[in-house]
Amino acid sequence: MKRRTENRRTDTCRRRSTYPWQGTLGALLAGGMLLTGCSGTATTDRAASSDRRGGPAPAYGAPGGAGNGAKEPGGARDKDRAEAKEGLRETAPPDYLSTFALDVDTASYGYARRTLGGGGLPDPATVRPEEFVNSFRQGYRRPAGKGFTVNVDGARAGDGDWSLVRVGLATRAAAARDERPPAALTFVVDISGSMAETGRLDLVKKSLDLLTDELRDDDSVSLVTFSDEAKTLLPMTRLRGHRGEIRDRVDSMEPTDSTNVEAGVRRGYEEAVEGRVKGASNRVVLLSDALANTGETAAEAILERVASARRAYGITLFGVGVGSEYGDALMEELTDKGDGHTTYVADEEQARKVFIDQLPAHLELTARDAKAQVAFDRKTVRQFRLIGYENRKVADEDFRDDRVDGGEVGPGHTVTALYAVRLRPEAAGRVATATVRWLDPTTRAPHERRGTVTTDAIDGPLWGGPSQRLQVTAVAAYFAETLRGGKLPGTPGLAELATRARKLATATEDSSVRKLATAIGQADRIRNGRGDDGGGLGEPSEGELR
């Protein structure tokens, strides 16, 4: 595995950039961080190559960057001290940079919907706002070729001098089915006793049947199962002429014994290496409830067993979670450290979305070790707060250190980071410059793109504003933050939030927004002891869209 950021930070940087937080700051895991700090320069959206080593993005607009001795107005300084005393700010030296690894996971939102549909509230520890936000269409412009576009916009949050700033990154559209490279997929399937529950192994089998129909004749698959031990049901096999055999092996899987995720992942990587197809997208796909109880149960130790295979061949791990009880933390950590992604499937409709619509976008890589750094301008910005991404933070000085892990992103993806930003009184001019850096998957050459936003672009009202997709993003973030016990500036109550989501669902004609409205309504009823309306995970009733 590539060297992790935290292994080389000073204690100060470690406090600033790693998760979890300790002491009085622990409560901020639910609410994000309020930051104050350095600055940034305006540039156009452009490509840039740079050295493999280097510091953070330039300190745009103020020589010296962090700690340059700039003075704060007395009143603001006093209020900052008061907020720091209340635990609202980080204890590290202030700066105006925010750096994180890109993340396209969506499992947290899918699992929350499953839990709410079952009449319960999700555990706050499983709620990651970035995965709620990234579950929805954004409508960003896309690049014509490789790399990213950088889209930055925002609106007033309706709470004093706070605004929401959205940093949106998009890759080129996914290639048509016949234009992508061939795929060589090793499916690692959990057949432990816990997978007997309806919606687990039966859903996995249905998903693999769907995918068998969707894959091309020149694609290949292998099948590994695990319970207390792992075994290979099917070595790497070309789809052409073998679809019947593949379906028979899938249908033969039955639940038994305990859950040894380590054995499954290790055998899966062995099969992936042995059956590796040159010129193809070689991936391991783990399908499990991730309730590991046998063998090694820590993600770091499990992945250490297959580290050489991942390093030598670049075989990444895609996780698909299932089950009403689900080991969210283990699956998320496995795929994060395994240079892959994770999603969650609760029903056949979601299985179709993942295995027919989404999985092809995970097969090909557009960018390796992608990171973003947002530089806020201290002349216009007093405070900012990144919503989510707590376990994806990177030390600012490691932004251009390409030995430090970032995120892997494929074609057809969008990545959104939402910030709560508090402007200074009478602020005018540039608010922030967002830079994305990534490595070409083949050559490992570094590239960058930038985008800038000004006060004029975020001065309009959020609700009823011109961007319906920005409003959907805000609803998803507000919802997630409420579920995990935090509160963002301008957060509506759940009842109002559900109403706004229903109106947006009608305006956008987007079924995924309609389901978001249903989930928010379920959370509101459960919190207020009114029970669920029985809508489950399906469409809301006719009366809900009034």
Side-chain angles (χ1 to χ4, degrees):
M1 182 186 301
K2 198 182 295 184
R3 187 174 54 119
R4 301 295 295 179
T5 299
E6 49 267 38
N7 291 341
R8 63 185 299 270
R9 292 181 197 154
T10 63
D11 289 341
T12 297
C13 291
R14 196 173 283 122
R15 284 196 303 270
R16 195 166 74 213
S17 305
T18 59
Y19 171 87
W21 292 73
Q22 303 294 323
T24 58
L25 292 179
L28 291 177
L29 286 173
M33 298 294 162
L34 290 179
L35 308 173
T36 63
C38 336
S39 58
T41 69
T43 68
T44 57
D45 178 17
R46 61 183 178 82
S49 251
S50 57
D51 294 337
R52 291 184 61 83
R53 291 297 313 274
Y60 307 112
N68 62 4
K71 301 293 185 182
E72 293 282 355
R77 195 164 54 240
D78 293 342
K79 188 162 186 180
D80 286 347
R81 290 195 190 102
E83 288 173 342
K85 186 176 181 180
E86 292 171 7
L88 294 176
R89 293 173 55 212
E90 295 182 71
T91 57
D95 66 56
Y96 266 52
L97 294 173
S98 171
T99 309
F100 58 93
L102 301 198
D103 185 9
V104 297
D105 292 353
T106 59
S108 177
Y109 175 63
Y111 186 42
R113 284 187 58 225
R114 169 67 179 259
T115 304
L116 290 163
L121 292 171
D123 180 346
T126 68
V127 176
R128 294 181 289 279
E130 68 274 18
E131 297 186 24
F132 279 55
V133 167
N134 283 326
S135 295
F136 296 92
R137 237 178 263 132
Q138 299 290 345
Y140 301 138
R141 61 189 174 86
R142 293 186 180 275
K146 295 181 179 180
F148 295 85
T149 56
V150 182
N151 309 264
V152 194
D153 62 0
R156 290 281 182 180
D159 193 349
D161 46 3
W162 286 92
S163 298
L164 292 178
V165 171
R166 178 177 61 164
V167 176
L169 310 172
T171 57
R172 62 177 169 80
R177 179 177 180 271
D178 294 335
E179 295 175 0
R180 65 166 172 79
L185 306 177
T186 298
F187 293 99
V188 179
V189 181
D190 184 350
I191 58 167
S192 63
S194 61
M195 292 290 287
E197 177 192 282
T198 300
R200 298 195 187 195
L201 186 56
D202 61 322
L203 186 57
V204 167
K205 292 164 77 169
K206 181 63 179 177
S207 299
L208 293 180
D209 278 341
L210 289 171
L211 188 63
T212 300
D213 291 334
E214 182 67 17
L215 291 173
R216 300 189 321 224
D217 282 351
D218 61 342
D219 293 328
S220 303
V221 300
S222 61
L223 182 61
V224 170
T225 60
F226 69 93
S227 51
D228 55 342
E229 296 179 343
K231 68 176 182 177
T232 301
L233 279 189
L234 182 74
M236 193 65 73
T237 301
R238 189 70 60 91
L239 267 290
R240 181 184 292 113
H242 296 97
R243 281 184 166 83
E245 178 187 1
I246 293 168
R247 287 194 182 90
D248 288 344
R249 299 296 174 90
V250 168
D251 290 343
S252 72
M253 296 187 298
E254 296 294 339
T256 178
D257 299 327
S258 53
T259 311
N260 190 337
V261 175
E262 175 205 352
V265 171
R266 189 173 65 246
R267 175 64 71 88
Y269 269 91
E270 289 170 357
E271 284 295 328
V273 170
E274 185 175 336
R276 189 170 63 96
V277 177
K278 188 175 181 180
S281 297
N282 293 270
R283 300 284 179 268
V284 172
V285 183
L286 174 63
L287 302 103
S288 174
D289 59 16
L291 299 175
N293 55 22
T294 302
E296 195 59 71
T297 59
E300 190 90 43
I302 291 171
L303 289 173
E304 189 58 36
R305 304 289 194 274
V306 296
S308 60
R310 292 189 299 109
R311 285 194 209 103
Y313 302 107
I315 299 173
T316 59
L317 180 65
F318 177 45
V320 180
V322 295
S324 57
E325 290 184 48
Y326 166 56
D328 170 79
L330 176 61
M331 184 71 88
E332 199 267 344
E333 191 175 1
L334 277 171
T335 54
D336 174 15
K337 294 180 178 178
D339 296 331
H341 317 293
T342 184
T343 190
Y344 179 88
V345 171
D347 55 26
E348 187 174 333
E349 181 182 358
Q350 290 180 1
R352 288 183 178 278
K353 181 178 179 181
V354 168
F355 286 93
I356 294 178
D357 299 335
Q358 293 181 348
L359 185 56
H362 288 280
L363 295 180
E364 187 182 357
L365 283 183
T366 296
R368 282 194 180 274
D369 292 313
K371 310 183 192 90
Q373 185 167 87
V374 183
F376 290 90
D377 193 326
R378 71 179 302 118
K379 295 176 183 177
T380 56
V381 174
R382 181 174 171 191
Q383 293 172 305
F384 64 92
R385 171 180 170 181
L386 174 59
I387 302 167
Y389 287 94
E390 284 86 1
N391 59 354
R392 303 291 287 174
K393 288 185 179 179
V394 173
D396 295 336
E397 65 271 22
D398 286 336
F399 177 59
R400 291 195 174 95
D401 185 344
D402 296 329
R403 297 170 300 175
V404 173
D405 278 340
E408 275 59 45
V409 184
H413 280 302
T414 61
V415 179
T416 299
L418 196 65
Y419 289 85
V421 177
R422 189 178 186 186
L423 298 178
R424 297 187 184 279
E426 308 302 323
R430 189 172 46 78
V431 173
T433 296
T435 305
V436 59
R437 180 182 177 87
W438 73 96
L439 303 183
D440 182 279
T442 304
T443 67
R444 298 280 178 167
H447 301 276
E448 293 184 6
R449 283 264 195 262
R450 287 183 188 154
T452 298
V453 67
T454 62
T455 51
D456 290 345
I458 65 171
D459 195 43
L462 173 64
W463 306 121
S467 176
Q468 293 172 341
R469 290 296 169 185
L470 175 60
Q471 294 173 60
V472 171
T473 299
V475 169
Y478 284 143
F479 181 38
E481 200 69 14
T482 300
L483 286 176
R484 67 178 189 167
K487 185 171 175 61
L488 295 170
T491 303
L494 285 175
E496 180 185 342
L497 204 59
T499 298
R500 293 195 180 279
R502 287 194 291 270
K503 290 180 179 178
L504 287 166
T506 301
T508 60
E509 299 182 344
D510 187 338
S511 63
S512 65
V513 181
R514 202 172 298 127
K515 291 167 187 173
L516 173 62
T518 298
I520 297 170
Q522 289 168 336
D524 184 39
R525 287 186 289 274
I526 294 167
R527 277 196 163 191
N528 290 290
R530 298 198 299 272
D532 186 35
D533 65 355
L537 296 176
E539 299 292 337
S541 63
E542 292 292 325
E544 285 187 278
L545 287 178
R546 290 197 303 271

